[in-house]
Every structure is written in C-alpha cells, then in structure tokens.
Amino acid sequence: MSELLGLLSYGDTGWGDELLAGFGITISLFLATLPIGLVLGFAIALAKRSENWPLRLFANAYTTVFRGVPELLTLFIIFYGGQIALQNLVGLFSDTIVVDLSAFVAGMIALGFVFSAYASETILAALNAIPTGQAEAARALGLSKARTLQKVTFPQLIRFALPGLSNLALILQKETALVSVLALDELLRNTQIAVGATKEPILFFSIACGFYIVMALFSSLLIGWAENWSNRGQQGAGA
Amino acid sequence: MDVDLWIKYGPKMLTGLVVTLQLVSVSLFIGALISLPIAMARLSKNKLARGASFAYVYFFRGSPLLAQVFLVYFGSGQLRYPLTDLGLWWFFRDAWYCVILVFSLNTAAYQAEILRGAIGSVAAGQMEAAKSLGLGKLVTFFRVIFPQALISALRPYGNEVILMIKGSAIASVVTIFDLMGASKLAFSRTFDFEVYFIAALMYLIVVEIIRISWEMMDRRLTRHLRPLSEQ
Amino acid sequence: MKLLKNLAAATLALAVSAGAASAGMKLKIGTEGAYPPFNFKDASGQLKGFDIDIAKALCAQMKADCSFVAQDWDGIIPALLAKKYDAIIASMSITDERKKKVDFTDKYYSTPAKFVVDKKSGIKDVSAAGLKGKTIGAQGSTIHSNFLEEKYKGSTIKLYKTQDEVNADLAAGRLDALLADSAVMLEWLKKKDGSCCAFTGPDFNDPKYFGVGAGIAVRKGEGKLRDELNKAIKAILANGTYKKINDKYFPFSVY
C-alpha cells in the first residue's frame, strides 16, 4: 500500500506532480476552448438566421460536418492538416518563418469547432424562443438596437440557452482527454506515461477518472448556481 | 492518391466501417437493456437504489470514454490471474469484448437519463387517470407511460446513436480495426492525408443517413401531436 | 493572465532545452519518449535514453542549440513533414518505404528484430506457418508491424500505440507472441513483468523490411542538415563519446 502511495508522491520519484500538472493543462485547455466555442457558436447561430442564403448554407454545412465526424478524426485532421496548410500559407510570403501549431492550439481549435457546431443549435433554439413582439416592444419604447440586444435579448438568451450550453461544457471537459492522442501532456496522457513506467493501470486510470469526475461535480455546482442566477427574474425560481 | 493504395486499403476501410457499425449496434442494444433498471432505480423511492444508480450514471457520464476504455482494457490485463480464477479471463482477454462492455455500460448511463427525463415528461395526470380507470401499476407503466415516454425520448435517442458512432472511433486505441483503426493503418503506411478525409466522409454519410431516417421516424410517430393541417 | 501563462507553458512544455552551449544553429528534435531504453520519460518528466544522449552528443559536436519535442510514434513522420521539428532521433529504421517521404542520415545503431513469446505457450517455430492462427502484437507504424502485415497473413495481427502496451498485452496473455527490436525487449525481459516471456527464433534483419539500422530522419531537401549530422555521427564514433553512451545502456555494442 505504501508502495502505491509512493508512486503518487510529489517530486522526482512520484507521479503526483505529473498528474496535477496534466490536470492543470486539461483545465487550461477547457477554459481556453470554451470562449472560442461560444463565440463561434453564436456567430454560426446568427448565420443560420441570416437572410443571405450562402451564409445559411455554410452555417448548416458547418454544423453537419462537425457534428458528424468523430472528434478524434477532427483532431488529427486539424493537427496535421492544419499545420501543413498553415505552413504552405506562410510559405507564400516567407521561407524562414516556421509556424508551429501546437497540440494545445490544435486541440483548442478542433474542440472549439465541435463545441460551436452543437452550441449553435442550442443558441438558435434559444433565439427562436424569444418572442419577436419583445423586440418590437423595445423599439416602441425607443431603445436602440444595441440596447435591445443588451437589455432584452441577451439576458433571456442566456436563460434559455444555459441548460443546453452547460451540458455541452460538461461534455467538452471530458473531450479534452482526446487531445492526449496528439501527445499533449494533459491529464490522461500523463496518466498513460505513469502507467507505462509503473505498470499500475488500475491505480492510475482510476485516479484519472476521479479527477474528471471531481471536475464535473465542481462544474455542476457552478452551473446550478448560474442557472439560479439566470432565472432570478422568473417567478418561483427561488431568487 | 494512387490506385495501388485503394486496392490495398480501400477494402480494409470498408471492413472497418462494418466493424464500427457492429460495435455501435451491439453496444446500443445491450446498453438499452441495462438502462431500463437503472432508470427505474433513478426514479425509485428507495434511497439506496437512487444513490447507487446516481453514482453509476455520474461515473460514466462524468469521465471520458477514452479513460474508461483504458481502465477496463489495461486494468483487466493487470488482473489476469484473479480473473482467470473467476473464469472470466476469456472475456477480458478479447479487446472486442472489453470495448463492447465499456461502450454498453457508458451508453446505458446516457440512455437511462434519457428514459428518466422522458418518463418524467409524461404528465402526472395520466398516471392518476389510469389509476382512476382501475389499471394496475405495471399495466399503467407499460401501456400508458412507456409508449408516450418513448416518443419524447426519440430525439435524444437519435442523438445518442450518433454520439456512439462518433465515440466508437476510440476503439481503435485498443487494437480494434474499426473505420478509424483501418484509416490510421492506411495513413501510417502512406502518410497520405486523403485517407483521413475519406474516413471523415464515411462517418459523415453514416451519421447523416441515421439523422435523416430518425427525423422521418419522428415525424411519423408524432403525427397525432400536430394540427390536422400539417399532417 | 494565469491562463495565458499556462497556454505558453503548454506550448513549450515539451520543448526541453538540451543545454548545448554555443549559439550556433537552432535545432528541434522530435522523439517518441515511450521506447525504453532508447527514449523515455521518467517520473521527473525528463526525456532520457540512448537516443536522447546520442542527440545531445551530436548537438554538442555540431555546436547546435537543440530542443526536444515529444511526439507519438504514429504521428512522428507527419509532424516532421509539418515542420514541428527538424530531425527525428527516435530509433527510426532506415527503410525504402520511409525514404519515399523523408531523408535519412547514416545509421547510428543497428539491432535485429526478434520474436518474444509467452514461455507457457510452447511456441518454438516463429515462421509464418508456425504462428498461423496465433495472435501477434507489434507497435503500429513500425518495421515490425509492416513485416507482420506482409508476411504473417495467417495470423491475427494486433497493433498498439506504444511498445509498452504491446509488452503489457503479451504479459497479460492477450498475445501469443510479439515482434520487436531485440535491444528493447532485452531490457523488458529482465524486468519482473517480462519474466513471463522469452526470445524465440532467429534474428530478423532482412533489409527489405527491417532497413539498414536506425538513422536520423530529416525532411527531403535538407541535405545540409543531413551532412552535418552525418559528420557529427562519424565524429562521436571516432572520439569515444559514442562508446561511452553505448556502455551506459548496453553490455554489447549496438552499432
């Protein structure tokens, strides 16, 4: 038993510090991907409501592709293909500049794309749930378009979209594990390295699962709080 | 891309696609069976059943599928001798069974939540109405609640099928030559990027076929819920 | 701010300075980091092993400023082509198939491939006929997996991401045999979990499949870098540095 605990110690002989460092990268990847996915998702949702048909077509194709292709494959294509495409692009202007699409950035882009494809549907549904009469009423009250968006549309959008988006965020947290196949030293990858060295798969993979579950529990608490907050204007929401 | 490659790896990718479809359909089916008692336990009045089923669902939905596959596949390798004593090693020895096990348990957690949500969506008044008609509890459940719940569960079920197809690509990390595994093999010999695009296209086609047929099914089954003019 | 720092750290996390002194050319070296004793990561997160020591010696010889990038094996050539690094020093065998995509230096070591079988399996004959119907494992994208794929069509071939995983499955009894580099397996067979198993059959070194030893891969058209690396390999062979590194890891010469 103490032998196993030794494997988890902090420092040069144990793997505790590697696991924690990996967990840090997992969280960073999640936090870096989330805003990208949300902004892209919002943009795609707006494109789907656009009157410009090529834009609509693009937005729908985008959603179809990123919801249909396995994340693992999307990651490979962006990591290797994206790097080569970027390099060729830069090569048009300069031979000496070397771009490096790191596994972290590639993971951020790939997972951000996938997240945004799903998020756009949630946001679209939320936008559609806001009665059009409200925008008209706001106009009748003399509110500007930006002001209407800020004061009328957005708070309701958040309320309608939050449950769907938080579900997607929880999925995203777990999907960061896939970036381990690109040799990013996140939690699961460092766990695999530890298993390779110690031959203790049960111990280490259980701990890794535990880390993810703790992260999910913590996020659920945050989400519950956020949902209460977003419902504060509703009757009977306990606000 | 050169023709030799297609002759060599084209059939392997098609076989891989079949493996993917088998993997997904078997797991979804077993998962559906397991999900029923779990959903029941989630809705049960028994504290222990509720707690245990909640923990089950939380574990499988809270940690990555990839980590679960690693845990079961490499973890069972570590337990070879105890498992042999229990007469279970033949099962865990096979990567295919390990993956089916993890996928089934995983999708069961998701399906149980879908079922729970759907059962909850059937208005409580229906239960009372059935009771006032003198129907027994079991009859009420299977003849009144369950069919209605299935209809509202249809869409989430469709999503789960698609998520499983995408998630099944993970099987390739434990030696299974599914579509992803076959594509990786082809890529490793040729470094031809087209392989991955073709694989992506194949997944996309399968997912779209399922999505469209699901939509048709949904339209048909919810006919009675739409106004006459739309039927 | 912390996020930015983490971002930067993540980008740089894999780049470990090799500590070559002079400010000559900058060289990024790709390696796997999961192939003991040639290249692996220890509990302190440091890259270690024969390949790493050789790489450092070459860099010192060339007065180059080197850094290492860890990359999974199945993506190691694509990442070189994508300019994620400039050279692969990761026990990569020089084969004609790979030469279509990358250029190689002269070999810097050469060890034969061998089958390893479970002692209890009683397998003596490791020819294609002898292993018919058996399950054989190898690391994917390697000379070993290519050889099995071509020659052992009657057997079930299982391919893994790392050699560690192949070994684990042989020890667990999921495989009847594995094919791998003999120097790598020698190290594993000495360990506790390798006690299940033993070498069987002859050395395999048919150059058609196994190449002519391990070389350093560089992108095509980078002849200057290749020449410099070749010169450096000759130099460390001549000045005794190579032997010192060799003896640190192996009781025999791997050249």
Side-chain angles (χ1 to χ4, degrees), chain A residues 1 6 22 32 51 53 75 86 92 96 120 123 128 147 207 237:
Chain A
M1 197 59 214
E51 275 154 25
W53 71 263
L75 275 169
L86 258 181
L92 294 177
T96 47
S120 72
I123 294 171
N128 289 340
R147 203 86 182 124
I207 289 173

Side-chain angles (χ1 to χ4, degrees), chain A residues 33-104:
Chain A
T33 309
L34 195 60
I36 298 179
L38 284 172
V39 169
L40 270 177
F42 189 63
I44 297 290
L46 288 183
K48 280 180 187 162
R49 278 160 63 101
S50 151
E51 275 154 25
N52 179 338
W53 71 263
L55 201 60
R56 273 204 317 272
L57 187 71
F58 167 79
N60 286 324
Y62 178 96
T63 311
T64 305
V65 168
F66 288 109
R67 291 201 309 176
V69 177
E71 289 78 4
L72 213 52
L73 203 47
T74 308
L75 275 169
F76 276 133
I77 290 176
I78 293 200
F79 186 56
Y80 296 119
Q83 169 85 32
I84 293 168
L86 258 181
Q87 191 64 59
N88 289 345
L89 194 72
V90 171
L92 294 177
F93 307 104
S94 151
D95 282 339
T96 47
I97 299 177
V98 175
V99 278
D100 186 9
L101 186 65
S102 70
F104 189 94

Side-chain angles (χ1 to χ4, degrees), chain B:
Chain B
M1 182 171 195
D2 67 75
V3 184
D4 290 355
L5 274 172
W6 276 122
I7 294 172
K8 193 159 177 203
Y9 291 106
K12 283 196 176 157
M13 284 173 76
L14 281 178
T15 317
L17 180 62
V18 174
V19 172
T20 292
L21 294 177
Q22 282 173 339
L23 203 57
V24 171
S25 45
V26 172
S27 306
L28 281 171
F29 178 73
I30 301 176
L33 294 183
I34 306 174
S35 73
L36 213 60
I38 295 170
M40 292 294 158
R42 287 279 275 144
L43 291 163
S44 137
K45 291 198 181 85
N46 183 324
K47 248 190 173 164
L48 193 70
R50 252 193 354 252
S53 57
F54 176 77
Y56 175 93
V57 168
Y58 217 94
F59 175 79
F60 282 102
R61 300 210 315 168
S63 57
L65 184 58
L66 185 59
Q68 292 164 14
V69 169
F70 281 144
L71 177 60
V72 168
Y73 187 78
F74 293 112
S76 65
Q78 197 183 355
L79 294 177
R80 174 187 180 182
Y81 293 106
L83 285 170
T84 311
D85 292 342
L86 289 169
L88 290 173
W89 176 242
W90 63 271
F91 182 88
F92 288 97
R93 185 176 190 264
D94 197 324
W96 173 263
Y97 290 137
C98 285
V99 169
I100 291 273
L101 176 70
V102 178
F103 282 11
S104 303
L105 293 176
N106 184 281
T107 184
Y110 284 90
Q111 290 187 37
E113 285 305 278
I114 294 172
L115 216 51
R116 184 177 72 101
I119 291 171
S121 76
V122 179
Q126 302 252 354
M127 190 90 88
E128 286 154 19
K131 204 168 156 189
S132 69
L133 284 173
L135 293 179
K137 259 193 166 172
L138 270 180
V139 179
T140 308
F141 182 76
F142 281 105
R143 303 305 293 264
V144 180
I145 310 289
F146 201 60
Q148 298 187 72
L150 276 189
I151 289 177
S152 72
L154 197 64
R155 259 168 197 286
Y157 264 128
N159 289 338
E160 176 59 14
V161 173
I162 290 172
L163 286 180
M164 271 307 284
I165 293 174
K166 295 171 68 182
S168 71
I170 282 172
S172 64
V173 299
V174 287
T175 76
I176 289 182
F177 285 113
D178 65 334
L179 177 52
M180 185 74 198
S183 314
K184 278 202 317 208
L185 179 69
F187 181 69
S188 75
R189 295 298 294 273
T190 62
F191 303 115
D192 196 328
F193 219 75
E194 247 173 89
V195 170
Y196 282 149
F197 283 117
I198 303 282
L201 197 64
M202 285 164 84
Y203 276 110
L204 205 56
I205 290 172
V206 172
V207 165
E208 279 303 285
I209 289 174
I210 287 174
R211 199 177 58 82
I212 290 166
S213 35
W214 222 271
E215 231 159 62
M216 282 161 59
M217 196 151 72
D218 190 46
R219 285 189 71 79
R220 180 148 179 84
L221 287 175
T222 55
R223 262 174 321 177
H224 62 284
L225 299 175
R226 280 194 301 276
L228 269 176
S229 56
E230 278 180 36
Q231 280 182 20

Side-chain angles (χ1 to χ4, degrees), chain A residues 18 83 101 104 185 189 199, chain C residues 7 41 43 72 82 84 164:
Chain A
E18 274 72 28
Q83 169 85 32
L101 186 65
F104 189 94
D185 283 359
R189 162 88 179 171
K199 316 292 174 208
Chain C
L7 261 169
K41 269 191 185 165
D72 274 7
K84 286 195 185 294
D164 259 334

Side-chain angles (χ1 to χ4, degrees), chain C:
Chain C
M1 201 50 223
K2 189 147 180 248
L3 179 65
L4 268 180
K5 252 199 204 151
N6 271 337
L7 261 169
T11 322
L12 296 173
L14 303 176
V16 186
S17 170
S22 94
M25 80 170 132
K26 280 201 183 342
L27 194 61
K28 276 206 266 182
I29 295 170
T31 196
E32 186 193 2
Y35 199 61
F38 288 99
N39 58 73
F40 57 95
K41 269 191 185 165
D42 66 5
S44 69
Q46 295 289 315
L47 281 166
K48 295 248 164 81
F50 178 82
D51 286 334
I52 309 300
D53 286 356
I54 291 285
K56 286 179 181 169
L58 293 176
C59 291
Q61 186 67 36
M62 291 159 52
K63 301 205 171 16
D65 186 3
C66 291
S67 56
F68 287 98
V69 180
Q71 167 68 46
D72 274 7
W73 182 253
D74 49 16
I76 206 158
I77 288 184
L80 173 74
L81 299 179
K83 298 199 183 174
K84 286 195 185 294
Y85 34 75
D86 310 299
I88 300 172
I89 305 185
S91 297
M92 182 173 277
S93 303
I94 306 163
T95 63
D96 288 338
E97 190 170 294
R98 287 180 180 138
K99 275 192 203 159
K100 287 183 203 156
K101 298 285 169 185
V102 296
D103 278 348
F104 281 101
T105 61
D106 301 334
K107 69 160 187 177
Y108 66 93
Y109 81 85
S110 161
T111 45
K114 260 179 124 90
F115 276 99
V116 175
V117 303
D118 194 320
K119 281 179 196 160
K120 281 182 296 230
S121 72
I123 294 172
K124 293 272 179 317
D125 177 9
V126 294
S127 67
L131 288 176
K132 199 169 171 210
K134 303 280 183 195
T135 307
I136 318 174
Q139 185 179 8
S141 322
T142 58
I143 47 174
H144 314 107
S145 68
N146 293 355
F147 179 71
L148 291 175
E149 206 191 316
E150 303 290 336
K151 292 280 188 181
Y152 287 71
K153 292 199 187 326
S155 313
T156 305
I157 312 293
K158 291 201 166 264
L159 302 183
Y160 297 79
K161 237 167 106 85
T162 63
Q163 187 61 45
D164 259 334
E165 294 181 0
V166 194
N167 302 349
D169 262 9
L170 182 68
R174 285 196 177 109
L175 298 171
D176 298 309
L178 67 77
L179 181 65
D181 184 86
S182 54
V184 171
M185 294 322 290
L186 190 66
E187 173 93 358
W188 180 68
L189 288 172
K190 279 189 293 196
K191 288 189 185 151
K192 193 178 104 220
D193 51 314
S195 60
C196 58
C197 305
F199 282 124
T200 305
D203 288 355
F204 286 81
N205 43 22
D206 177 356
K208 180 171 173 229
Y209 295 102
F210 295 97
V212 290
I216 301 168
V218 297
R219 279 182 297 276
K220 287 200 173 287
E222 306 218 344
K224 193 167 157 273
L225 174 60
R226 187 175 69 162
D227 294 345
E228 289 225 22
L229 285 165
N230 271 336
K231 251 197 301 185
I233 293 173
K234 280 207 185 75
I236 62 164
L237 273 166
N239 70 14
T241 312
Y242 185 96
K243 189 172 179 329
K244 235 187 268 163
I245 297 171
N246 183 108
D247 295 350
K248 181 172 154 194
Y249 292 96
F250 307 102
F252 50 88
S253 167
V254 293
Y255 185 73

